[in-house]
Amino acid sequence: MTYRPTKRTALLLGLLVTTAALAQATDSKRLITIQGGPRGDLRTGPLTFVGNPVKATVSTLNIQAGGAVMSAPAGVQLIDAKGKRNADFTGDVVVTRGRLTAKGGKLAYSEATGQGIMTGTPSATFVPANKEDGDNVAIQATQMSLDVDNNVSTSTGSVSLTNGTQTGKADKLVFDEDKELAQLTGTPSLTRAAKGTQKELVISGTEVRARTKEKTLYVRGGVKLVQGTTTTTGDSVYYDDRKNVAYVVGNAVSIDSKTRVTLRAPASGYLEQRTDLARVRVLNSAYKIPTDQFKLRSEQ
């Protein structure tokens, strides 16, 4: 008797083969290559690399460091650990990916997770594609994680982000290099330095999202804007730094502590705050913040 697979069985087999191929392709992106002749047992590991500097590549990441050690998980020989290996880099570690350059004292990379964790006072600089596109983005944190599956970095611990005259502070920062979009959470705030006749502006809320190229912000959750004697609060705000204007939506109230003037937007309206003119207006029409522009990769 000859077995003839049904169309349904053939389709399922095809899907299984395709899924396996995709998984293998994804795993291959995470495999790391370290240049040079290592010291150690090639079968069992660990392997020690030294150089001036040691160079390595994984996906789109290029790594340089004073030294590196490649090892396998406990109980696994290095020769059998492809896709599960760990690589630890030490001594003036420099990682580049496209327009991003990150530096730190240590980098621990895992093929299993595709994450490179940088410690030792890490910092990163992201350069715009063209000078006319704006300023460099500078990031400092206690720890910085670089994901090789996408062009996203996650920084945690006393995070600072500087973009021209804007400086953000937070406990956590997610930065998408492709979209040039930053998400700050954990008591975040953003300060726009005083310039010309404009006084310093401080914006805070539960979450801050910044488009670093366009210099626009979307802040939500207990929003507060403080500039000079004016304090404006609301549920959310859209701020355009280049146009010097902020639109405050939801329970929007502005109080001037000097003149004792209070402005309150109606439920159907919003407040417009001109940061260059030190002026706040009540508008009765609805304003819709363009939140789609601030969606993270995971939210698409």
Side-chain angles (χ1 to χ4, degrees):
M1 179 178 180
T2 303
Y3 171 70
R4 300 178 185 273
T6 64
K7 289 184 178 180
R8 178 180 175 82
T9 302
L11 179 60
L12 289 173
L13 288 172
L15 288 173
L16 287 172
V17 171
T18 302
T19 303
L22 289 172
Q24 185 176 4
T26 301
D27 290 342
S28 66
K29 282 183 59 177
R30 297 179 176 182
L31 299 181
I32 191 166
T33 301
I34 304 178
Q35 298 178 17
R39 297 196 307 264
D41 191 315
L42 294 176
R43 176 173 292 276
T44 62
L47 301 179
T48 300
F49 297 79
V50 293
N52 191 26
V54 170
K55 296 183 179 182
T57 56
V58 52
S59 187
T60 57
L61 291 182
N62 294 295
I63 306 168
Q64 293 189 8
V69 175
M70 180 180 283
S71 60
V76 181
Q77 295 193 50
L78 187 62
I79 196 172
D80 299 322
K82 195 172 183 179
K84 302 176 184 178
R85 298 172 299 184
N86 301 311
D88 295 303
F89 298 86
T90 55
D92 298 324
V93 181
V94 179
V95 180
T96 58
R97 173 170 61 193
R99 293 181 278 141
L100 181 79
T101 300
K103 299 180 180 180
K106 297 179 180 180
L107 176 72
Y109 176 71
S110 166
E111 289 182 336
T113 64
Q115 296 285 331
I117 309 296
M118 183 173 283
T119 55
T121 62
S123 63
T125 302
F126 180 77
V127 181
N130 304 294
K131 287 185 177 180
E132 56 270 23
D133 286 342
D135 303 291
N136 291 352
V137 177
I139 302 170
Q140 293 183 325
T142 303
Q143 177 177 290
M144 191 174 296
S145 176
L146 301 167
D147 193 329
V148 303
D149 293 337
N150 50 54
N151 295 334
V152 174
S153 63
T154 302
S155 302
T156 55
S158 302
V159 177
S160 171
L161 178 145
T162 303
N163 180 28
T165 59
Q166 296 182 358
T167 301
K169 302 286 185 181
D171 297 328
K172 180 180 178 180
L173 163 68
V174 176
F175 185 67
D176 187 320
E177 299 151 38
D178 294 333
K179 301 185 71 172
E180 301 186 42
L181 174 64
Q183 178 201 36
L184 297 96
T185 54
T187 61
S189 66
L190 190 132
T191 301
R192 203 283 319 278
K195 59 179 180 179
T197 59
Q198 295 188 58
K199 295 182 179 179
E200 178 184 85
L201 171 67
V202 180
I203 305 177
S204 59
T206 302
E207 178 187 26
V208 175
R209 298 195 184 194
R211 300 179 71 196
T212 57
K213 178 180 176 180
E214 290 80 6
K215 296 290 178 65
T216 56
L217 301 175
Y218 166 43
V219 187
R220 62 174 183 162
V223 170
K224 179 186 289 187
L225 294 79
V226 179
Q227 185 180 35
T229 59
T230 301
T231 299
T232 305
T233 58
D235 295 337
S236 55
V237 61
Y238 173 78
Y239 172 63
D240 190 324
D241 194 12
R242 290 175 175 167
K243 294 181 179 179
N244 300 301
V245 62
Y247 303 107
V248 186
V249 178
N251 301 302
V253 179
S254 185
I255 301 174
D256 190 317
S257 61
K258 182 177 180 180
T259 63
R260 299 185 182 279
V261 172
T262 298
L263 298 176
R264 190 182 304 273
S268 59
Y270 64 99
L271 294 180
E272 176 197 78
Q273 183 165 335
R274 286 291 302 269
T275 57
D276 55 340
L277 303 176
R279 185 191 71 191
V280 180
R281 292 196 304 160
V282 177
L283 296 171
N284 293 320
S285 58
Y287 180 80
K288 180 176 174 58
I289 294 176
T291 55
D292 286 348
Q293 298 178 7
F294 298 88
K295 282 187 176 181
L296 298 170
R297 184 186 303 266
S298 60
E299 297 170 334
Q300 296 297 326

